[in-house]
Amino acid sequence: MKQFLAVYTGTPESVARKGWNTMDEAQRKLREQQGIEAWKEWGETHRASIVAGGGPLGKTKRISERGIEDTRNNLAAYVIVQAESHAAAARLFENHPHFTIFPGDAVEIMECLPIPGT
């Protein structure tokens, strides 16, 4: 089986589009609890495919020839899964709570390729 890195993305636009910040606190807490339960259920359903559980991602530092600097991106969390194909890996995330309950934007899946020459 092949391994795939799935990154959960989110943007200020997706949060605004889903009205997350305009919900009253009680409504948002209820949605958060529903989302957490749905995410746990997703994890149980796909337990055999999950290689590394991953988790949320924090603030980003960018390191280049210019040195170290703070930066921003749309990456919110990650998980590593295994599947027979790229399409099969993508299907694991159809209707995922990241974007059906939480205000996440999408899940992007890419194959973890072997290092050339090894």
Side-chain angles (χ1 to χ4, degrees), residues 33-114:
Q33 188 58 42
Q34 291 169 337
I36 289 167
E37 292 303 317
W39 205 306
K40 287 178 184 177
E41 184 178 314
W42 179 88
E44 282 299 312
T45 300
H46 300 291
R47 183 178 357 163
S49 298
I50 297 172
V51 175
L57 298 170
K59 295 185 184 290
T60 303
K61 296 272 188 204
R62 183 174 192 272
I63 299 87
S64 69
E65 293 173 342
R66 294 179 300 202
I68 300 171
E69 55 194 338
D70 291 334
T71 190
R72 295 181 68 131
N73 58 44
N74 295 336
L75 305 179
Y78 77 100
V79 65
I80 298 174
V81 298
Q82 61 183 1
E84 292 294 331
S85 67
H86 203 167
R91 282 192 297 275
L92 296 172
F93 296 90
E94 289 179 319
N95 300 309
H96 194 282
H98 173 68
F99 52 82
T100 59
I101 298 174
F102 286 110
D105 190 47
V107 181
E108 297 179 8
I109 293 89
M110 58 218 85
E111 185 176 352
C112 299
L113 301 171

Coordinates of all heavy atoms in Angstrom, one line a residue, residues 33-114:
Q33 N -18.5 20.5 19.6 CA -18.6 19.2 20.2 C -19.1 18.2 19.1 O -18.6 17.1 19.1 CB -19.6 19.3 21.3 CG -19.7 18.0 22.1 CD -18.4 17.5 22.7 OE1 -17.6 18.3 23.2 NE2 -18.1 16.3 22.6
Q34 N -20.0 18.6 18.3 CA -20.5 17.8 17.2 C -19.3 17.4 16.2 O -19.2 16.3 15.8 CB -21.6 18.4 16.4 CG -22.9 18.6 17.1 CD -23.9 19.5 16.4 OE1 -23.6 20.3 15.6 NE2 -25.2 19.3 16.8
G35 N -18.5 18.4 16.0 CA -17.4 18.2 15.1 C -16.4 17.3 15.7 O -15.8 16.4 15.0
I36 N -16.1 17.4 17.0 CA -15.1 16.5 17.6 C -15.6 15.1 17.6 O -14.9 14.2 17.3 CB -14.9 17.0 19.1 CG1 -14.1 18.3 19.0 CG2 -14.2 15.9 19.9 CD1 -14.0 19.1 20.4
E37 N -16.9 14.9 17.9 CA -17.5 13.6 17.9 C -17.5 13.0 16.5 O -17.1 11.8 16.3 CB -18.9 13.6 18.4 CG -19.0 13.9 19.9 CD -18.2 12.9 20.8 OE1 -18.2 11.7 20.5 OE2 -17.5 13.4 21.7
A38 N -17.8 13.8 15.5 CA -17.8 13.3 14.1 C -16.3 12.9 13.7 O -16.1 12.0 12.9 CB -18.4 14.3 13.2
W39 N -15.4 13.7 14.1 CA -14.0 13.5 13.8 C -13.5 12.2 14.4 O -12.8 11.4 13.8 CB -13.1 14.6 14.2 CG -11.8 14.8 13.4 CD1 -10.9 13.9 13.2 CD2 -11.4 16.0 12.8 NE1 -9.8 14.4 12.5 CE2 -10.1 15.7 12.2 CE3 -11.9 17.3 12.7 CZ2 -9.4 16.7 11.5 CZ3 -11.1 18.2 12.0 CH2 -9.9 17.9 11.4
K40 N -13.9 12.0 15.7 CA -13.5 10.7 16.3 C -14.1 9.5 15.6 O -13.5 8.5 15.4 CB -14.0 10.7 17.8 CG -13.2 11.6 18.7 CD -13.8 11.6 20.1 CE -13.1 12.5 21.0 NZ -13.7 12.5 22.4
E41 N -15.4 9.7 15.2 CA -16.1 8.6 14.4 C -15.4 8.3 13.1 O -15.2 7.2 12.7 CB -17.5 9.0 14.2 CG -18.3 7.9 13.5 CD -19.8 8.4 13.3 OE1 -20.4 8.9 14.3 OE2 -20.3 8.2 12.2
W42 N -14.9 9.4 12.4 CA -14.2 9.3 11.2 C -12.9 8.5 11.4 O -12.6 7.6 10.7 CB -13.9 10.6 10.6 CG -13.1 10.5 9.3 CD1 -13.5 10.4 8.0 CD2 -11.6 10.5 9.2 NE1 -12.5 10.3 7.1 CE2 -11.3 10.3 7.8 CE3 -10.6 10.6 10.1 CZ2 -10.0 10.3 7.4 CZ3 -9.3 10.5 9.6 CH2 -9.0 10.3 8.3
G43 N -12.2 8.8 12.5 CA -11.0 8.1 12.9 C -11.2 6.6 13.1 O -10.4 5.8 12.7
E44 N -12.3 6.3 13.8 CA -12.6 4.9 14.1 C -12.9 4.2 12.8 O -12.5 3.1 12.6 CB -13.7 4.8 15.1 CG -13.3 5.1 16.5 CD -12.3 4.0 17.0 OE1 -12.5 2.8 16.8 OE2 -11.3 4.5 17.6
T45 N -13.7 4.8 12.0 CA -14.1 4.2 10.7 C -12.9 3.9 9.8 O -12.9 2.9 9.2 CB -15.1 5.1 10.0 OG1 -16.3 5.3 10.8 CG2 -15.5 4.5 8.6
H46 N -11.9 4.8 9.9 CA -10.8 4.6 9.0 C -9.5 4.2 9.7 O -8.4 4.4 9.2 CB -10.6 5.9 8.2 CG -11.7 6.3 7.4 ND1 -12.1 5.6 6.2 CD2 -12.7 7.3 7.5 CE1 -13.2 6.1 5.7 NE2 -13.5 7.2 6.5
R47 N -9.7 3.7 10.9 CA -8.5 3.3 11.8 C -7.5 2.5 11.0 O -6.3 2.7 11.1 CB -9.0 2.6 13.0 CG -7.9 2.2 13.9 CD -8.2 1.5 15.2 NE -9.7 1.4 15.4 CZ -10.2 0.5 16.2 NH1 -9.5 -0.2 17.0 NH2 -11.5 0.4 16.3
A48 N -7.9 1.5 10.2 CA -7.0 0.6 9.5 C -6.2 1.3 8.4 O -5.1 0.9 8.0 CB -7.8 -0.5 8.8
S49 N -6.7 2.5 8.0 CA -6.0 3.3 7.0 C -5.0 4.3 7.5 O -4.2 4.9 6.8 CB -7.0 3.9 6.0 OG -7.7 3.0 5.4
I50 N -5.2 4.6 8.8 CA -4.4 5.7 9.4 C -3.0 5.2 9.9 O -3.0 4.3 10.7 CB -5.1 6.4 10.6 CG1 -6.4 7.0 10.1 CG2 -4.3 7.4 11.3 CD1 -7.4 7.5 11.2
V51 N -2.0 5.7 9.3 CA -0.6 5.3 9.6 C -0.1 6.1 10.8 O 0.6 5.6 11.7 CB 0.3 5.5 8.4 CG1 1.8 5.2 8.7 CG2 -0.2 4.6 7.2
A52 N -0.3 7.5 10.7 CA 0.1 8.4 11.8 C -1.0 9.4 12.0 O -1.5 10.0 11.0 CB 1.4 9.1 11.4
G53 N -1.5 9.4 13.2 CA -2.6 10.2 13.6 C -2.5 11.7 13.3 O -3.5 12.4 13.2
G54 N -1.3 12.2 13.2 CA -1.1 13.6 13.0 C -1.7 14.5 14.1 O -1.7 14.1 15.2
G55 N -2.2 15.6 13.7 CA -2.8 16.6 14.7 C -2.8 18.0 14.1 O -2.4 18.2 13.0
P56 N -3.3 18.9 15.0 CA -3.3 20.3 14.6 C -1.9 20.9 14.4 O -0.9 20.4 15.0 CB -4.0 21.0 15.8 CG -4.6 19.9 16.6 CD -3.8 18.7 16.3
L57 N -1.8 21.9 13.6 CA -0.5 22.6 13.3 C -0.6 24.0 13.9 O -1.6 24.6 13.8 CB -0.3 22.6 11.8 CG -0.2 21.3 11.1 CD1 -0.1 21.4 9.6 CD2 1.1 20.5 11.6
G58 N 0.6 24.4 14.4 CA 0.7 25.7 15.0 C 1.2 26.7 14.1 O 1.3 26.6 12.9
K59 N 1.7 27.8 14.6 CA 2.3 28.9 13.8 C 3.5 28.4 13.0 O 4.1 27.5 13.4 CB 2.7 30.1 14.8 CG 1.5 30.7 15.4 CD 1.9 31.9 16.2 CE 0.7 32.5 17.0 NZ -0.3 33.1 16.2
T60 N 3.7 29.1 11.9 CA 4.8 28.7 11.0 C 6.0 29.6 11.0 O 5.8 30.8 11.0 CB 4.1 28.7 9.6 OG1 3.0 27.8 9.6 CG2 5.1 28.1 8.5
K61 N 7.1 29.0 10.9 CA 8.4 29.7 10.7 C 8.9 29.3 9.3 O 8.8 28.1 8.9 CB 9.5 29.3 11.7 CG 9.2 29.7 13.1 CD 9.6 31.1 13.4 CE 9.5 31.4 14.9 NZ 9.4 32.9 15.1
R62 N 9.4 30.2 8.6 CA 10.0 30.0 7.3 C 11.5 30.2 7.3 O 12.0 31.2 7.8 CB 9.4 30.9 6.2 CG 9.9 30.6 4.8 CD 9.1 31.5 3.8 NE 9.3 31.1 2.5 CZ 10.3 31.6 1.7 NH1 11.2 32.4 2.2 NH2 10.4 31.1 0.5
I63 N 12.3 29.2 6.9 CA 13.7 29.2 6.9 C 14.2 29.2 5.5 O 13.9 28.3 4.7 CB 14.3 28.1 7.7 CG1 13.8 28.1 9.2 CG2 15.8 28.1 7.7 CD1 12.6 27.4 9.4
S64 N 15.0 30.2 5.1 CA 15.6 30.2 3.8 C 17.0 30.9 3.8 O 17.5 31.1 4.9 CB 14.6 31.1 2.9 OG 14.7 32.4 3.3
E65 N 17.5 31.2 2.7 CA 18.8 31.9 2.6 C 18.8 33.2 3.4 O 19.8 33.7 3.8 CB 19.2 32.1 1.1 CG 19.5 30.9 0.4 CD 19.7 31.1 -1.1 OE1 19.3 32.2 -1.6 OE2 20.3 30.3 -1.8
R66 N 17.6 33.8 3.4 CA 17.5 35.1 4.1 C 17.4 34.9 5.6 O 17.4 35.9 6.4 CB 16.2 35.8 3.6 CG 16.3 36.2 2.2 CD 15.1 36.9 1.8 NE 14.0 35.9 2.0 CZ 12.8 36.0 1.4 NH1 12.5 37.0 0.6 NH2 11.9 35.1 1.6
G67 N 17.3 33.7 6.1 CA 17.2 33.5 7.6 C 15.9 32.9 8.0 O 15.2 32.3 7.2
I68 N 15.5 33.2 9.2 CA 14.3 32.7 9.8 C 13.3 33.8 9.9 O 13.6 34.9 10.4 CB 14.5 32.1 11.2 CG1 15.5 30.9 11.1 CG2 13.2 31.6 11.8 CD1 16.0 30.4 12.4
E69 N 12.1 33.6 9.5 CA 11.0 34.6 9.6 C 9.7 34.0 9.8 O 9.4 32.8 9.5 CB 11.0 35.4 8.3 CG 10.8 34.6 7.0 CD 11.1 35.4 5.8 OE1 11.0 36.6 5.8 OE2 11.4 34.7 4.8
D70 N 8.8 34.7 10.5 CA 7.4 34.3 10.6 C 6.7 34.3 9.3 O 6.9 35.2 8.5 CB 6.7 35.1 11.7 CG 7.2 35.0 13.1 OD1 7.7 33.9 13.4 OD2 7.1 35.9 13.9
T71 N 5.8 33.4 9.1 CA 5.0 33.4 7.9 C 3.6 32.8 8.2 O 3.4 32.3 9.2 CB 5.7 32.6 6.7 OG1 5.0 32.9 5.5 CG2 5.8 31.1 7.0
R72 N 2.7 32.9 7.2 CA 1.4 32.3 7.3 C 1.1 31.4 6.1 O 1.6 31.6 5.0 CB 0.3 33.4 7.4 CG 0.4 34.2 8.6 CD -0.6 35.3 8.6 NE -1.9 34.6 8.8 CZ -2.8 35.0 9.6 NH1 -2.6 36.0 10.4 NH2 -4.0 34.3 9.7
N73 N 0.3 30.4 6.3 CA -0.2 29.5 5.3 C -1.5 29.0 5.6 O -2.1 29.4 6.7 CB 0.8 28.4 5.0 CG 1.1 27.5 6.2 OD1 0.1 27.1 6.9 ND2 2.3 27.2 6.5
N74 N -2.1 28.2 4.8 CA -3.5 27.7 5.0 C -3.5 26.3 5.7 O -4.6 25.7 5.8 CB -4.2 27.6 3.7 CG -4.4 29.0 3.1 OD1 -4.4 30.0 3.8 ND2 -4.6 29.0 1.8
L75 N -2.3 25.8 6.2 CA -2.3 24.5 6.8 C -2.8 24.5 8.2 O -2.3 25.3 9.0 CB -0.9 23.9 6.7 CG -0.2 23.9 5.3 CD1 1.2 23.4 5.4 CD2 -1.0 23.1 4.3
A76 N -3.7 23.6 8.5 CA -4.3 23.6 9.8 C -4.0 22.3 10.6 O -3.9 22.4 11.8 CB -5.9 23.8 9.7
A77 N -3.9 21.2 9.9 CA -3.6 19.9 10.6 C -3.2 18.9 9.5 O -3.2 19.2 8.3 CB -4.9 19.4 11.3
Y78 N -2.8 17.7 10.0 CA -2.3 16.7 9.1 C -2.6 15.3 9.6 O -2.8 15.1 10.8 CB -0.8 16.8 8.8 CG 0.1 16.3 9.9 CD1 0.6 15.0 9.8 CD2 0.3 17.0 11.0 CE1 1.4 14.5 10.8 CE2 1.1 16.6 12.0 CZ 1.6 15.3 11.9 OH 2.4 14.8 12.9
V79 N -2.6 14.3 8.7 CA -2.7 12.9 9.1 C -2.0 12.2 7.9 O -1.9 12.6 6.8 CB -4.1 12.5 9.2 CG1 -4.9 12.6 8.0 CG2 -4.2 11.1 9.8
I80 N -1.4 11.0 8.2 CA -0.8 10.1 7.2 C -1.7 8.9 7.1 O -2.0 8.2 8.1 CB 0.6 9.8 7.5 CG1 1.5 11.1 7.5 CG2 1.2 8.8 6.4 CD1 2.9 10.9 7.9
V81 N -2.1 8.6 5.9 CA -3.0 7.4 5.6 C -2.3 6.5 4.6 O -1.4 6.9 3.9 CB -4.4 7.8 5.2 CG1 -5.1 8.6 6.2 CG2 -4.4 8.6 3.8
Q82 N -2.8 5.3 4.6 CA -2.4 4.4 3.5 C -3.6 3.9 2.7 O -4.7 3.8 3.2 CB -1.7 3.1 4.1 CG -2.6 2.3 5.0 CD -1.8 1.1 5.6 OE1 -0.6 1.0 5.4 NE2 -2.5 0.3 6.4
A83 N -3.4 3.7 1.4 CA -4.4 3.3 0.5 C -3.8 2.7 -0.7 O -2.6 2.9 -1.0 CB -5.3 4.5 0.1
E84 N -4.6 2.0 -1.5 CA -4.2 1.4 -2.7 C -3.8 2.4 -3.8 O -3.0 2.1 -4.7 CB -5.2 0.4 -3.3 CG -5.4 -0.8 -2.4 CD -4.2 -1.7 -2.3 OE1 -3.4 -1.8 -3.3 OE2 -4.0 -2.4 -1.3
S85 N -4.5 3.6 -3.8 CA -4.3 4.6 -4.9 C -4.5 6.0 -4.3 O -5.1 6.1 -3.2 CB -5.2 4.3 -6.1 OG -6.5 4.6 -5.7
H86 N -4.1 6.9 -5.1 CA -4.3 8.3 -4.7 C -5.8 8.6 -4.6 O -6.3 9.3 -3.7 CB -3.7 9.2 -5.8 CG -3.4 10.6 -5.3 ND1 -2.6 11.4 -6.1 CD2 -3.7 11.3 -4.2 CE1 -2.4 12.6 -5.4 NE2 -3.1 12.5 -4.3
A87 N -6.6 8.1 -5.6 CA -8.0 8.3 -5.6 C -8.7 7.6 -4.4 O -9.6 8.2 -3.7 CB -8.7 7.7 -6.9
A88 N -8.2 6.5 -4.0 CA -8.8 5.8 -2.8 C -8.4 6.6 -1.6 O -9.3 6.6 -0.6 CB -8.2 4.3 -2.7
A89 N -7.2 7.1 -1.5 CA -6.9 8.0 -0.3 C -7.8 9.2 -0.2 O -8.3 9.5 0.8 CB -5.4 8.4 -0.4
A90 N -8.0 9.8 -1.4 CA -8.9 11.0 -1.4 C -10.3 10.6 -0.9 O -10.9 11.4 -0.2 CB -8.9 11.6 -2.8
R91 N -10.8 9.5 -1.4 CA -12.2 9.1 -1.0 C -12.3 8.9 0.5 O -13.4 9.1 1.0 CB -12.6 7.8 -1.7 CG -13.0 8.1 -3.2 CD -13.6 6.9 -3.8 NE -12.8 5.7 -3.8 CZ -11.9 5.4 -4.8 NH1 -11.8 6.3 -5.8 NH2 -11.2 4.4 -4.8
L92 N -11.3 8.7 1.3 CA -11.3 8.5 2.7 C -11.8 9.8 3.4 O -12.4 9.8 4.4 CB -10.0 8.2 3.3 CG -9.3 6.9 3.0 CD1 -7.9 6.8 3.5 CD2 -10.2 5.7 3.5
F93 N -11.6 11.0 2.7 CA -11.9 12.3 3.2 C -13.2 12.9 2.7 O -13.6 14.0 3.1 CB -10.8 13.2 3.0 CG -9.5 12.7 3.7 CD1 -8.6 11.9 3.1 CD2 -9.3 13.1 5.0 CE1 -7.5 11.4 3.8 CE2 -8.2 12.6 5.7 CZ -7.3 11.8 5.1
E94 N -14.0 12.1 1.9 CA -15.2 12.7 1.4 C -16.2 13.0 2.6 O -16.3 12.2 3.5 CB -15.9 11.7 0.5 CG -15.2 11.6 -0.9 CD -15.9 10.6 -1.8 OE1 -16.3 9.5 -1.3 OE2 -16.0 10.9 -3.0
N95 N -16.8 14.1 2.6 CA -17.7 14.5 3.7 C -17.1 14.6 5.0 O -17.7 14.3 6.0 CB -19.0 13.7 3.7 CG -19.7 13.7 2.4 OD1 -20.0 14.8 1.9 ND2 -20.0 12.6 1.8
H96 N -15.8 14.9 5.1 CA -15.1 14.9 6.4 C -15.6 16.1 7.2 O -15.9 17.2 6.7 CB -13.6 15.1 6.1 CG -12.7 14.8 7.3 ND1 -12.6 15.8 8.3 CD2 -12.0 13.8 7.6 CE1 -11.8 15.3 9.2 NE2 -11.4 14.1 8.9
P97 N -15.6 15.9 8.6 CA -16.1 17.0 9.4 C -15.3 18.2 9.4 O -15.7 19.3 9.8 CB -16.1 16.3 10.8 CG -15.4 15.0 10.7 CD -15.4 14.7 9.3
H98 N -14.0 18.1 8.9 CA -13.2 19.3 8.8 C -13.9 20.4 8.1 O -13.8 21.6 8.4 CB -11.8 19.0 8.2 CG -11.0 20.2 7.9 ND1 -10.4 20.9 8.9 CD2 -10.6 20.8 6.8 CE1 -9.7 21.9 8.4 NE2 -9.8 21.8 7.1
F99 N -14.6 20.1 7.0 CA -15.3 21.1 6.2 C -16.8 20.9 6.2 O -17.5 21.8 5.7 CB -14.8 21.1 4.8 CG -14.7 19.8 4.1 CD1 -15.9 19.3 3.5 CD2 -13.6 19.0 4.0 CE1 -15.8 18.0 2.8 CE2 -13.5 17.8 3.4 CZ -14.7 17.3 2.8
T100 N -17.4 19.9 6.8 CA -18.8 19.7 6.8 C -19.4 20.3 8.1 O -20.6 20.6 8.1 CB -19.3 18.3 6.6 OG1 -18.7 17.4 7.6 CG2 -18.9 17.8 5.2
I101 N -18.6 20.3 9.2 CA -19.1 20.8 10.5 C -18.2 22.0 10.9 O -18.7 23.0 11.2 CB -19.0 19.7 11.6 CG1 -20.0 18.5 11.2 CG2 -19.4 20.3 12.9 CD1 -20.0 17.3 12.1
F102 N -16.9 21.7 10.9 CA -16.0 22.8 11.2 C -15.8 23.8 10.0 O -16.2 23.4 8.9 CB -14.6 22.3 11.6 CG -14.5 21.6 13.0 CD1 -14.4 20.2 13.1 CD2 -14.6 22.4 14.1 CE1 -14.4 19.6 14.3 CE2 -14.6 21.8 15.4 CZ -14.5 20.4 15.5
P103 N -15.3 25.0 10.2 CA -15.1 25.9 9.1 C -13.9 25.7 8.2 O -13.5 26.6 7.6 CB -15.1 27.3 9.8 CG -14.4 27.0 11.1 CD -14.9 25.6 11.5
G104 N -13.4 24.5 8.2 CA -12.2 24.2 7.4 C -12.6 24.3 5.9 O -13.7 24.3 5.5
D105 N -11.6 24.6 5.1 CA -11.7 24.8 3.7 C -11.7 23.5 2.9 O -12.6 23.3 2.1 CB -10.6 25.7 3.2 CG -10.8 26.2 1.8 OD1 -11.9 26.7 1.5 OD2 -9.8 26.2 1.0
A106 N -10.7 22.6 3.1 CA -10.5 21.4 2.3 C -9.5 20.5 2.9 O -8.9 20.8 3.9 CB -10.1 21.8 0.9
V107 N -9.3 19.3 2.3 CA -8.3 18.4 2.7 C -7.5 18.1 1.4 O -8.1 17.8 0.4 CB -8.8 17.1 3.3 CG1 -7.7 16.2 3.7 CG2 -9.7 17.4 4.5
E108 N -6.2 18.3 1.4 CA -5.4 18.1 0.3 C -4.5 16.8 0.5 O -3.9 16.7 1.6 CB -4.5 19.3 0.0 CG -5.2 20.5 -0.4 CD -4.4 21.7 -0.6 OE1 -3.1 21.6 -0.7 OE2 -4.9 22.8 -0.8
I109 N -4.5 15.9 -0.4 CA -3.8 14.6 -0.3 C -2.7 14.5 -1.3 O -2.9 14.7 -2.5 CB -4.8 13.4 -0.4 CG1 -5.9 13.4 0.7 CG2 -4.1 12.1 -0.4 CD1 -7.1 14.2 0.4
M110 N -1.5 14.1 -0.8 CA -0.4 13.9 -1.7 C 0.3 12.6 -1.3 O 0.4 12.3 -0.1 CB 0.5 15.1 -1.7 CG 1.1 15.4 -0.4 SD 1.3 17.2 -0.2 CE -0.3 17.7 0.4
E111 N 0.8 11.9 -2.3 CA 1.5 10.6 -2.1 C 2.9 10.9 -1.4 O 3.6 11.9 -1.8 CB 1.7 9.8 -3.3 CG 2.3 8.5 -3.1 CD 2.4 7.6 -4.4 OE1 1.9 8.0 -5.4 OE2 3.1 6.6 -4.3
C112 N 3.3 10.1 -0.5 CA 4.6 10.2 0.2 C 5.5 9.3 -0.7 O 5.4 8.1 -0.7 CB 4.6 9.7 1.6 SG 3.5 10.6 2.7
L113 N 6.3 9.9 -1.5 CA 7.2 9.2 -2.4 C 8.5 8.8 -1.8 O 9.0 9.4 -0.9 CB 7.5 10.1 -3.7 CG 6.2 10.5 -4.4 CD1 6.6 11.6 -5.5 CD2 5.5 9.3 -5.0
P114 N 9.1 7.7 -2.3 CA 10.4 7.3 -1.8 C 11.5 8.3 -2.2 O 11.4 9.0 -3.2 CB 10.7 6.0 -2.5 CG 9.9 6.0 -3.7 CD 8.7 6.8 -3.4

